Amino acid sequence: MDKLIILSVLLVFFVSTVLGLECYVCENQEDNNEKCVKTIKNCDYNQDVCLTEIKWGSTPYWSQGAKKQYYISKRCSNKTECATTRRRYMPLCTHIWYQDWVCSDCCLGDRCNYYIISGSATLKPVLITLFGVLLLRLVL
């Protein structure tokens, strides 16, 4: 019975890995509601992280006295593109209300970019540890 449970957990782990990553996707939304938390995409084969960008500033077409607001974008990405995006935007990530700024974050795991800044990158190491323990138990 223990072996059946262990094999079931391993099967679920491998099936979720093979089926690909799912990320929330949206483009330049004013908040993290509606489209940004309801639209899910199955990422392409070479996309292994979910990328989130948050921008603070005036509308894309400048007008005098325009109010500043947030613009949130989420999408599937790969680790290389994520690193490039972070290098490009993170020096501008100041959170100063009167300046325009951009911040970005990447995470691993299905739908890990539900929140704008995610802490779910710790999910994969936990799954790998669980997988290792189950494999050792199966072997011993």
Side-chain angles (χ1 to χ4, degrees):
M1 184 65 166
D2 282 340
K3 288 186 178 186
L4 181 60
I5 292 171
I6 292 170
L7 288 175
S8 298
V9 170
L10 291 175
L11 180 64
V12 169
F13 176 77
F14 283 117
V15 167
S16 67
T17 302
V18 170
L19 291 179
L21 181 66
E22 289 182 344
C23 295
Y24 290 97
V25 294
C26 61
E27 186 69 32
N28 289 327
Q29 298 297 302
E30 294 180 12
D31 55 32
N32 195 41
N33 295 317
E34 296 303 318
K35 188 172 184 177
C36 284
V37 295
K38 292 182 179 176
T39 308
I40 299 165
K41 178 183 178 195
N42 286 317
C43 300
D44 294 336
Y45 173 74
N46 62 340
Q47 297 174 320
D48 52 2
V49 296
C50 299
L51 174 63
T52 302
E53 295 174 1
I54 180 167
K55 301 173 185 174
W56 170 258
S58 303
T59 55
Y61 28 89
W62 184 86
S63 62
Q64 186 174 0
K67 75 173 194 160
K68 292 186 181 285
Q69 64 185 50
Y70 293 102
Y71 296 94
I72 299 167
S73 298
K74 299 179 181 183
R75 66 180 181 270
C76 296
S77 184
N78 60 54
K79 291 177 185 174
T80 305
E81 179 189 6
C82 176
T84 302
T85 302
R86 288 185 58 79
R87 274 194 304 274
R88 181 173 61 235
Y89 289 141
M90 291 313 278
L92 304 174
C93 185
T94 62
H95 296 277
I96 298 174
W97 68 271
Y98 57 86
Q99 291 180 341
D100 292 353
W101 51 262
V102 181
C103 299
S104 65
D105 187 31
C106 292
C107 59
L108 301 169
D110 285 336
R111 303 180 191 187
C112 64
N113 63 339
Y114 180 85
Y115 298 103
I116 296 172
I117 302 298
S118 173
S120 61
T122 57
L123 182 62
K124 284 291 187 187
V126 169
L127 287 176
I128 291 169
T129 302
L130 177 63
F131 172 71
V133 169
L134 291 173
L135 188 59
L136 281 175
R137 182 161 168 99
L138 184 64
V139 171
L140 299 177

